[in-house]
Every structure is written in C-alpha cells, then in structure tokens.
Amino acid sequence: MTEKQAEDLVRRLAAAVRSAELYSPAHPLVQRGLDALGAASLDALRASPSVVVGFLGGEIIVDAIRLPGGTATLAGFARGLRERDVEKITFSKGLIRDELRALVDVLADRQSPVPLADRLQHAGIRHIAIGRIVVEEVTDEQAGIAAARRIYGTAVETAETLWQAAKAGDRPDPGAARKIIDGLARLVSQDRTSLMALTALKKYDNYTFTHMVNVAALAMAQARALNVEGTLLREFGFAALMHDIGKVNTPLEVLNKAGKLTAEEFDIMKRHVVDGAHILRRTPEMPALAPIVAFEHHLKQDLSGYPENVGSRTLNLCTMIVSIADVFDALRSNRPYREGLATARIRAIMGEQDSPAFNQPLLKRFVNLMGLFPVGNLVRLNTEEIAVVTAEHPSDPFRPQVKVIMDRDGVRLPEPFLANTWEIDDRGQHARAVVEAVTEEIDGIDPLAFL
Ligand SMILES: [Fe+2]
Ligand SMILES: [Fe+2]
C-alpha cells in the first residue's frame, strides 16, 4: 500500500463519518461518502488480506505507514476516536458496503452509551473490527525478556492477521503462521522462562489472538520438555496455533457471549472443531497434524467431549498436549464472564476432573513445568543466592516472594531476609529474579523451617 492509498482511506472514512453526522442516511452526500470510502478500502485491501488503521497519540498509522501530521481534520478525527477508546480499526478483505455503512453509522452516533466495538459486533459485521492497541509496558530492561516481549508481541499481531484472513474467507496465510512459529521455536529453546512469563500476562482485549499464541507456546514448551525438536516441534506449534481456527465461523454473539451458552448455542460452538479441520485441510503448507488436532482437541481420554461418536481412535500426542495448554490458558485468562484464576486453583481444577479429561502423565509433567515455584521450594536466584519460596505472587507465578537463606558462595546467612522478586529497583530492574527450582536437597536445610 502506498502512503497515498493509506491517507485516502482515512480521509474518506473521516469524510463519510462527518456527512453521516450532518445529514440523514438517505442524503446524496452520505451515499457518495460511502461510495468513496468503499472505493478507497477496496484499493487498500487489494494487496493484503487486512489493513489496520491505528490511532496512537495524535498520530494515525495505517499498517506500517505513518500519515503525515498537520491536517486539522484528520487530527480531530483521530482525537475523537481516541476519546472513545478506539485505537485501531481493522478492515479485512471481503468487506461489503453495508458493513462500511454500519461502521460509519456507529462512529457518527455519539449518543449511544454502548461501547463502539460492541455496537459493531451487534451489527453482525465480519470484516471490520474496532479495538485497542496493546502497548507493551516494558518495565524489565533485561535484554532477554525485552527481546522475548517483542517476539511475543509480533506473534500476537500476526495471529490477528491470520485470523482476519481466515475469517474473511481466505485461507489462513501459512507464511504468517510460519513467522509466529519461528519466533516461538526460538524462544522455547533459548528463553523458555521469558516466554512462559509472557503467556501469563492477562490481556483480555484480544483474547482470541493471545490465546492462539499462548496455546502454541505452552504446547511447544511441553513438547520441547519431551525432547520433541526440529520439524516435529514446529509442526506441533502450527497445530496448536490453529487449534481454534474453526471459530472464525462461530457467530460473534456466541463466541463472545458473557453468560453461559444455551444448549443450542453450545451446539453451534461445537462446530468449530469440524470447521477448523476443514479449513486446515485445504490450507497449503499446513502439516497434516493441524487438522487432526483441530478435530480432536475437545475430546477427552475416554473419547467423551466433542465431536460426538468419533468411533474408536487413539488421540494424537499433539492433541493431548494441546488440550492441556488450551484449558490451562482459557482458565487463566480474564474472560468477560470471570477473572483469570490463580495458577494453584487451575492446577486443582485440571487435576480433579473425574473422567480423566487429560492424559495424566502429560498433565503431571505440565504441572511440573508450569508449577514453577510452589511455596516451600528451594530456588536459585539470578544473584546465585539460594532462597525459599514464601509466597506466590497473586498473578505472576514467575515472581514469588522468597526468603534468601544462602549467599552466592553457598554460605548460610545468619539472618535470612525476605525479598519480593516482583519489585523493581530505582534503575527499573528486578534486583532479584528466580532462575530455577533447586530440586536436589541441600544438606542440613529444611526449607519449610523458613516459612
Ligand atoms: Fe476449541
Ligand atoms: Fe482454544
């Protein structure tokens, strides 16, 4: 897309909204405004499956193009949207005039108390989305986590593009998927701790896309811990990333429903497993594993769950790993209807299902992997000190409160002291961070005595 096309799109949008504010819907100026907007959006979408118009501060950014500032009309338009919490508008291929009209109507109506994004959803719009931009708060200057954040952030953005393309009726772009998996594969082998920490961030705003990336990351971490490597590891990643892609066909009112689904709605929701398998089967470059996992991921060990009546089969190893990652991430994330649950509680829920939903040995390994630093365990800090975990952080399992009991030379401290590993010092850094659990016993030390 050229700068001209980008600017054209935003200008036409601003003009159409302005006409709609001033005149009745049937007015020729309103109609003409829509026509012009339609032409501009078609033009912008010619080369890519979706275009994101972002409003950040006083700036307007279309995909990667920053529009030149200085025009009062556009600046005012951007400010007006920002005031109403619109930070970006995503247009996807397949867009029709009625959808543009609905967008313009929604933006022009300043009286309605209902949030814009909700109104757009209720209008049944499939090719336009309004949202907020998640700006990463980089509080940790450590190169590791900063780099991991960038990779993770890009992965989530790319997942969104992937999703929008699939939703607009195109196939999910294998190139985009590959980009995500490349990043995650690197992190999983080089900096798993940072990656796992990132999946623990609670970003409900774009749950769909963070969920895709989180499930891929959590599945790849499990697979890696089982010594799955190379091509197979990446195939696991692809399958995990795409497990819910069939939900592009699920109506938004079912997908985002705040309350419990009715039996009828649940039946609709259940279709995503079969739809996903279909979509993935016809997507070039998708590993054969992907449609299998999409199809199986809500089946339990005894083949209850859905799809129903699948006959006798053995669930794929990747399916079993993905369903653990899937349920864990869903329970942990903030959803419209409830807050994310603390990890300990999640662990209990996952373990206590009576008909074993999960493969038990795999679940045990996962809990060990994620169970991280339970209270009373010995841990090694980045300072080489040894400490006992005294309390879990309420939301960040990677940053517990600890009691430091040995200095870097392995000498026991006469007076152990408490340290909050989530605290940041005046240089903006974490003074102490837990590096790993110490699994071997240390002579003469009873960790529980320090609690
Ligand atoms: Fe699912
Ligand atoms: Fe899922």
Side-chain angles (χ1 to χ4, degrees):
M1 184 170 31
T2 63
E3 185 179 309
K4 161 107 181 38
Q5 286 172 316
E7 187 172 346
D8 223 41
L9 175 63
V10 182
R11 274 190 190 288
R12 300 296 181 200
L13 176 62
V17 171
R18 206 164 145 61
S19 305
E21 282 168 349
L22 295 172
Y23 307 106
S24 71
H27 195 284
L29 272 179
V30 174
Q31 295 303 318
R32 234 177 286 155
L34 281 173
D35 290 341
L37 174 59
S41 55
L42 216 64
D43 209 29
L45 285 169
R46 192 153 294 151
S48 69
S50 65
V51 170
V52 181
V53 182
F55 307 94
L56 262 179
E59 304 203 73
I60 303 179
I61 296 151
V62 183
D63 280 349
I65 303 170
R66 172 173 310 186
L67 297 190
T71 48
T73 339
L74 287 191
F77 178 60
R79 202 172 335 106
L81 289 180
R82 293 267 312 160
E83 275 163 13
R84 293 190 284 164
D85 277 344
V86 176
E87 294 180 340
K88 65 174 173 180
I89 304 178
T90 309
F91 298 91
S92 312
K93 247 195 179 108
L95 186 65
I96 56 171
R97 197 171 187 276
D98 278 349
E99 293 177 308
L100 288 172
R101 195 214 322 266
L103 171 70
V104 167
D105 286 348
V106 163
L107 293 178
D109 175 9
R110 291 165 176 277
Q111 308 305 324
S112 169
V114 183
L116 288 168
D118 291 354
R119 277 191 280 153
L120 208 58
Q121 271 181 17
H122 288 142
I125 308 292
R126 293 173 65 93
H127 300 102
I128 304 175
I130 286 182
R132 313 185 70 155
I133 292 173
V134 179
V135 179
E136 301 289 340
E137 290 168 36
V138 180
T139 49
D140 196 329
E141 291 308 312
Q142 279 170 282
I145 187 95
R149 261 175 207 280
R150 268 196 302 280
I151 295 173
Y152 179 84
T154 309
V156 173
E157 279 167 29
T158 313
E160 178 165 9
T161 320
L162 200 69
W163 179 273
Q164 301 295 3
K167 187 166 180 147
D170 292 343
R171 293 170 181 154
D173 172 10
R178 206 179 317 118
K179 185 171 157 192
I180 299 173
I181 299 306
D182 283 345
L184 295 181
R186 200 156 66 230
L187 283 179
V188 140
S189 342
Q190 290 169 7
D191 191 2
R192 202 190 69 209
T193 312
S194 294
L195 179 60
M196 295 296 100
L198 288 165
T199 65
L201 293 177
K202 290 178 186 157
K203 288 188 277 184
Y204 145 68
D205 263 358
N206 43 12
Y207 172 73
T208 305
F209 319 120
T210 48
H211 180 63
M212 291 172 77
V213 173
N214 286 352
V215 172
L218 293 169
M220 288 172 86
Q222 291 179 76
R224 189 69 190 70
L226 289 168
N227 287 324
V228 174
E229 282 177 78
T231 317
L232 189 57
L233 179 67
R234 297 166 53 85
E235 290 187 357
F236 274 46
F238 272 103
L241 182 72
M242 308 303 276
H243 76 281
D244 270 340
I245 198 71
K247 286 189 181 170
V248 296
N249 294 342
T250 310
L252 285 175
E253 60 271 22
V254 175
L255 200 56
N256 295 334
K257 186 174 178 187
K260 207 170 178 295
L261 297 181
T262 64
E264 209 175 30
E265 288 166 334
F266 191 46
D267 280 340
I268 295 175
M269 171 71 102
K270 284 179 182 172
R271 289 183 201 151
H272 79 275
V273 292
V274 175
D275 286 1
H278 280 308
I279 292 172
L280 293 170
R281 213 170 282 137
R282 46 165 221 258
T283 303
E285 290 184 52
M286 269 302 146
L289 202 51
I292 296 175
V293 170
F295 184 81
E296 291 182 341
H297 78 274
H298 286 284
L299 286 173
K300 300 180 180 175
Q301 298 301 300
D302 58 2
L303 300 182
S304 65
Y306 63 90
E308 280 131 44
N309 308 320
V310 288
S312 78
R313 61 156 69 212
T314 312
L315 296 181
N316 194 287
L317 170 66
C318 184
T319 299
M320 298 193 280
I321 285 177
V322 166
S323 46
I324 291 173
D326 184 25
V327 172
F328 181 77
D329 187 63
L331 289 174
R332 185 174 55 174
S333 306
N334 288 328
R335 301 288 285 132
Y337 40 90
R338 55 145 183 72
E339 291 283 289
L341 303 170
T343 25
R345 176 102 187 86
I346 295 169
R347 246 181 273 149
I349 293 174
M350 290 181 72
E352 94 205 347
Q353 317 241 356
D354 23 338
S355 77
F358 307 106
N359 175 290
Q360 292 304 311
L362 285 177
L363 181 63
K364 210 173 242 157
R365 280 169 161 274
F366 179 69
V367 170
N368 284 340
L369 192 71
M370 297 306 294
L372 301 175
F373 316 120
V375 172
N377 277 35
L378 285 174
V379 289
R380 192 182 325 278
L381 306 181
N382 58 340
T383 51
E384 294 297 331
E385 293 161 317
I386 300 290
V388 178
V389 178
T390 47
E392 285 186 9
H393 187 279
S395 61
D396 186 347
F398 290 85
R399 302 205 184 281
Q401 183 195 62
V402 299
K403 188 174 271 179
V404 182
I405 59 170
M406 277 175 147
D407 70 11
R408 58 188 320 136
D409 301 316
V411 178
R412 288 190 61 166
L413 299 175
E415 288 196 47
F417 59 93
L418 284 176
N420 298 326
T421 61
W422 63 84
E423 277 175 6
I424 292 170
D425 64 21
D426 6 58
R427 288 171 312 159
Q429 301 194 331
H430 291 284
R432 287 193 170 77
V434 177
V435 176
E436 60 181 356
V438 176
T439 43
E440 72 274 19
E441 282 181 36
I442 299 181
D443 248 329
I445 288 189
D446 172 17
L448 299 182
F450 294 94
L451 298 180

